[in-house]
Amino acid sequence: MEQTFLMVKPDGVQRGLVGEIISRFERRGFKLVAAKFERLPDARVMEHYAEHVQKPFFPGLKAYITSGPCFLMVFAGKNIVKISRDMIGATNPAGAAPGTIRGDLALEIGMNVIHGSDSVETAAREIGIHFKPEELASYTRIDEQYLYE
Ligand code: DAT
Ligand code: MG
């Protein structure tokens, strides 16, 4: 089953949106297989956002993402990487479609509530950065027979 790494950023945690965000993925049919609160150490932020470290916005991004605890998750399901990115919406909430997480719950690019892996390869990399294999649960959701044909 395809997996992805999803993370409620400090603004989402502080604004009490963790439950709402978990619910959106659970109700869609995706299976929560790992979750934890963590304030990300600087070194992990650099590794996670390696592609952005040289960008002008990185210092602000690093200050924001380490400003409080994040809620880190691994979800699983068919096509979850693509579907979860669609559910999250555009990077800048100002242009994110209504019905998406960022389009419904955020206003500005620097505080856009949630991270989601952008490809299957990125998802494997990010899960490896943030979770040990033994932190991932293995189980069958009882409704899978009514989700998958
Ligand atoms: P996404 O989170 O949609 O995958 P990304 O990988 O391009 O977007 O950027 C990572 C995060 O960095 C993004 O969620 C918010 C921040 N960011 C990106 N571009 C930015 C910009 N031009 N100004 C400020 N923050 C930016
Ligand atoms: Mg990205």
Side-chain angles (χ1 to χ4, degrees):
M1 195 77 91
E2 190 171 295
Q3 296 182 335
T4 200
F5 174 69
L6 299 170
M7 180 172 78
V8 182
K9 296 175 177 178
D11 52 331
V13 172
Q14 295 293 336
R15 292 175 54 214
L17 298 175
V18 169
E20 155 90 26
I21 289 168
I22 293 174
S23 284
R24 286 184 179 223
F25 293 105
E26 281 189 325
R27 294 204 316 257
R28 185 71 189 257
F30 293 125
K31 178 163 64 181
L32 183 61
V33 298
K36 60 182 174 186
F37 267 111
E38 207 171 8
R39 192 185 280 256
L40 300 185
D42 284 6
R44 189 120 53 85
V45 175
M46 315 276 282
E47 194 179 358
H48 174 86
Y49 280 128
E51 63 173 322
H52 298 309
V53 167
Q54 303 301 333
K55 306 229 175 109
F57 61 80
F58 185 74
L61 172 61
K62 184 155 153 285
Y64 152 67
I65 213 78
T66 58
S67 66
C70 292
F71 189 73
L72 293 72
M73 297 166 281
V74 178
F75 265 93
K78 191 173 182 184
N79 295 322
I80 188 162
V81 172
K82 160 84 167 67
I83 294 173
S84 60
R85 287 285 291 193
D86 289 345
M87 290 170 69
I88 288 169
T91 302
N92 190 341
T100 65
I101 292 170
R102 288 167 175 165
D104 289 347
L105 303 175
L107 290 171
E108 298 213 75
I109 193 167
M111 287 185 282
N112 61 8
V113 168
I114 181 167
H115 167 84
S117 308
D118 62 11
S119 72
V120 172
E121 296 71 33
T122 307
R125 191 181 82 85
E126 293 178 348
I127 292 167
I129 289 172
H130 296 284
F131 286 94
K132 299 182 193 122
E134 61 266 29
E135 290 180 289
L136 274 59
S138 177
Y139 67 103
T140 303
R141 250 175 73 152
I142 201 161
D143 56 2
E144 281 177 19
Q145 61 186 302
Y146 284 102
L147 288 164
Y148 295 103
E149 45 184 27

